[in-house]
Amino acid sequence: MEKAAESSTGKAADVVVKGEAALKPEFITTKEKFHESVDAEWQRSNGKKASDEDTSVDKNENCTAEPEAKKFKADPEEKTQVEKPDGKRYRGQNKSRPHIKPTTYEEKRLCLSIIQDRECPFGDKCRFHHDVAEYLASKPVDIGESCYLYDTFGKCAYGLMCRYAKAHTTPDFKTMENKDLVQACEGRNPVKNSLSKDLQNRLRKHSVAFKKSAEYLKTLSNNKEKKEQQKNGEACAAELSTALKEVEQKEAETQLQSVPDKEPPVKTVGPLTDADVIKLRPCEKKQVDFQDKLYLAPLTTCGNLPFRRVCKRLGVDITCGEMAMCTNLLQGQQSEWALLKRHESEDLFGVQVEGCFPDTMTRVAELINNNTDVDFVDINSGCPIDLVYKKGGGCGLMTRTRKFEQIIKGMNY
């Protein structure tokens, strides 16, 4: 550093010397100046520590005085806000937040016995309104003048609680009914494929019979046994031949049922016979014509029944329900069966099923075939969600071609 200082102060300061760094004058110093700056910083830091010790001693001296009076947890005004109506205190970090329902008028609603015109089983202990005039006075103003349910079905199940109650309420607070419309709508259900309580109970008790699925799964188990026997050399040739013939016969029957009639490879010349024109039998599957038709793909959390109805009005030809898990359908879960619902406006409707094993998928196909009204079943083989993929379903089926083949054959059977 001293050499650099000399070179900078000398006449040849601008000349670059090989092996020496060219330094700016403001960064050049000496050993004496460097040690002086270090000592100054050390003295400053020691001075701060000494002042902190003095203040701590003063604090300790003041500690001999009496402490301040203890504060109450909550003032009387705050206590009334924090307490519940029954006198108990709210607990938790959000106890100071207001606990008010968005619809405060529903805190004391009209009793169901008044709507159904029967005696209230709770009597005086009932916490709902029994005076219709008092309830209507506390009820907010109606949204509109016409009730869609009353205009469509002839009666409104909500009665006086309806937000369009003026359309079907008499001056003496009675709900009206259009008998002609009620009779016309009796027995008419625009939504199909609902899960009945009987079927739900049987699914939960595992008492539903899957005969066709059992037949196919038996052939799968037989094939596995035969492969093992072939590897070990324990099988007899006669038993294998008879079993293989049975499997081939069943596969031939399934192919006859599933594959539509095609034109012969060689055109024949001659009179038209009954063998040339064969109509589909009731046991054979209906073929859906997808050609030149607008198809609404299954959209999870979006393609529900109201959305599909809107799309039907906008020109969609074929609709498909949301992805339904096969295990949830076999367990009889109401939320999963709601994905199979079909509106009467959907003339061509299918459902999408997700699964990763041949046994569950074949049972679901038989369950849908026997208990619902659908035109086709779509197998989900493209879902990338981890919950589905890690189990081997969705896009995981594309890498498990052997299982995928068994699933398609079983559902087709």
Side-chain angles (χ1 to χ4, degrees), residues 196-207:
S196 63
K197 275 290 178 186
D198 178 45
L199 179 59
Q200 188 179 31
N201 292 332
R202 287 192 290 121
L203 285 171
R204 288 176 177 176
K205 293 177 181 178
H206 304 286
S207 61

Side-chain angles (χ1 to χ4, degrees), residues 355-372:
C356 51
F357 299 106
D359 54 346
T360 54
M361 291 292 277
T362 49
R363 290 192 182 101
V364 160
E366 187 174 357
L367 187 68
I368 290 171
N369 190 33
N370 295 337
N371 299 282
T372 60

Side-chain angles (χ1 to χ4, degrees), residues 163-180:
R163 294 303 303 274
Y164 307 93
K166 287 182 181 178
H168 47 77
T169 305
T170 59
D172 56 344
F173 307 124
K174 299 287 184 182
T175 55
M176 298 185 295
E177 287 187 9
N178 191 342
K179 293 182 179 179
D180 297 334

Side-chain angles (χ1 to χ4, degrees), residues 107-124:
E107 289 180 358
K108 198 168 183 183
R109 295 175 293 176
L110 192 65
C111 184
L112 193 63
S113 61
I114 302 297
I115 301 169
Q116 296 177 354
D117 196 11
R118 58 179 176 82
E119 291 185 4
C120 181
F122 300 99
D124 297 335

Side-chain angles (χ1 to χ4, degrees), residues 311-345:
C311 293
K312 282 295 291 183
R313 289 186 181 181
L314 297 176
V316 168
D317 299 315
I318 304 173
T319 54
C320 187
E322 300 179 57
M323 178 184 70
M325 303 285 187
C326 63
T327 52
N328 296 342
L329 292 174
L330 290 171
Q331 290 171 3
Q333 291 188 14
Q334 187 73 43
S335 59
E336 208 72 19
W337 274 81
L339 306 176
L340 307 183
K341 287 186 177 179
R342 173 183 188 171
H343 193 258
E344 58 182 6
S345 63

Side-chain angles (χ1 to χ4, degrees), residues 151-155 178-190 344:
D151 297 339
T152 308
F153 303 105
K155 63 178 180 180
N178 191 342
K179 293 182 179 179
D180 297 334
L181 270 176
V182 171
Q183 290 178 358
C185 294
E186 277 183 359
R188 176 185 164 229
N189 189 9
E344 58 182 6

Side-chain angles (χ1 to χ4, degrees), residues 89-286:
R89 292 180 60 218
Y90 285 114
R91 296 185 181 275
Q93 60 181 2
N94 296 325
K95 60 187 177 182
S96 60
R97 295 177 64 185
H99 298 271
I100 301 172
K101 289 184 179 181
T103 53
T104 53
Y105 68 91
E106 288 188 351
E107 289 180 358
K108 198 168 183 183
R109 295 175 293 176
L110 192 65
C111 184
L112 193 63
S113 61
I114 302 297
I115 301 169
Q116 296 177 354
D117 196 11
R118 58 179 176 82
E119 291 185 4
C120 181
F122 300 99
D124 297 335
K125 295 181 180 179
C126 184
R127 59 189 182 90
F128 298 116
H129 275 294
H130 285 260
D131 189 357
V132 178
E134 184 183 352
Y135 169 74
L136 291 176
S138 62
K139 182 187 171 186
V141 183
D142 288 348
I143 299 172
E145 296 181 356
S146 63
C147 177
Y148 176 80
L149 295 176
Y150 178 74
D151 297 339
T152 308
F153 303 105
K155 63 178 180 180
C156 180
Y158 298 96
L160 296 170
M161 290 196 297
C162 179
R163 294 303 303 274
Y164 307 93
K166 287 182 181 178
H168 47 77
T169 305
T170 59
D172 56 344
F173 307 124
K174 299 287 184 182
T175 55
M176 298 185 295
E177 287 187 9
N178 191 342
K179 293 182 179 179
D180 297 334
L181 270 176
V182 171
Q183 290 178 358
C185 294
E186 277 183 359
R188 176 185 164 229
N189 189 9
V191 180
K192 305 175 184 177
N193 301 345
S194 297
L195 177 63
S196 63
K197 275 290 178 186
D198 178 45
L199 179 59
Q200 188 179 31
N201 292 332
R202 287 192 290 121
L203 285 171
R204 288 176 177 176
K205 293 177 181 178
H206 304 286
S207 61
V208 180
F210 298 99
K211 295 180 181 179
K212 299 285 287 182
S213 302
E215 290 176 8
Y216 174 73
L217 296 173
K218 192 175 180 181
T219 60
L220 281 182
S221 61
N222 290 339
N223 290 337
K224 288 180 182 178
E225 290 176 1
K226 287 166 193 173
K227 287 179 182 178
E228 291 175 359
Q229 288 175 1
Q230 286 175 359
K231 288 179 182 178
N232 299 330
E234 299 173 356
C236 297
E239 293 178 357
L240 282 172
S241 60
T242 53
L244 286 169
K245 285 179 182 178
E246 290 177 2
V247 173
E248 287 174 0
Q249 286 176 1
K250 288 180 180 178
E251 288 182 355
E253 290 175 3
T254 55
Q255 287 175 3
L256 285 173
Q257 292 178 3
S258 60
V259 179
D261 298 321
K262 297 181 180 179
E263 293 182 0
V266 180
K267 292 185 178 181
T268 57
V269 180
L272 191 66
T273 60
D274 294 335
D276 296 325
V277 182
I278 301 174
K279 293 183 180 179
L280 286 173
R281 292 174 292 175
C283 63
E284 294 178 319
K285 291 191 290 292
K286 183 174 68 174

Side-chain angles (χ1 to χ4, degrees), residues 39-53:
D39 292 339
E41 288 181 2
W42 180 75
Q43 287 175 2
R44 285 175 200 161
S45 61
N46 283 344
K48 285 183 180 179
K49 288 181 181 178
S51 62
D52 291 341
E53 288 177 359

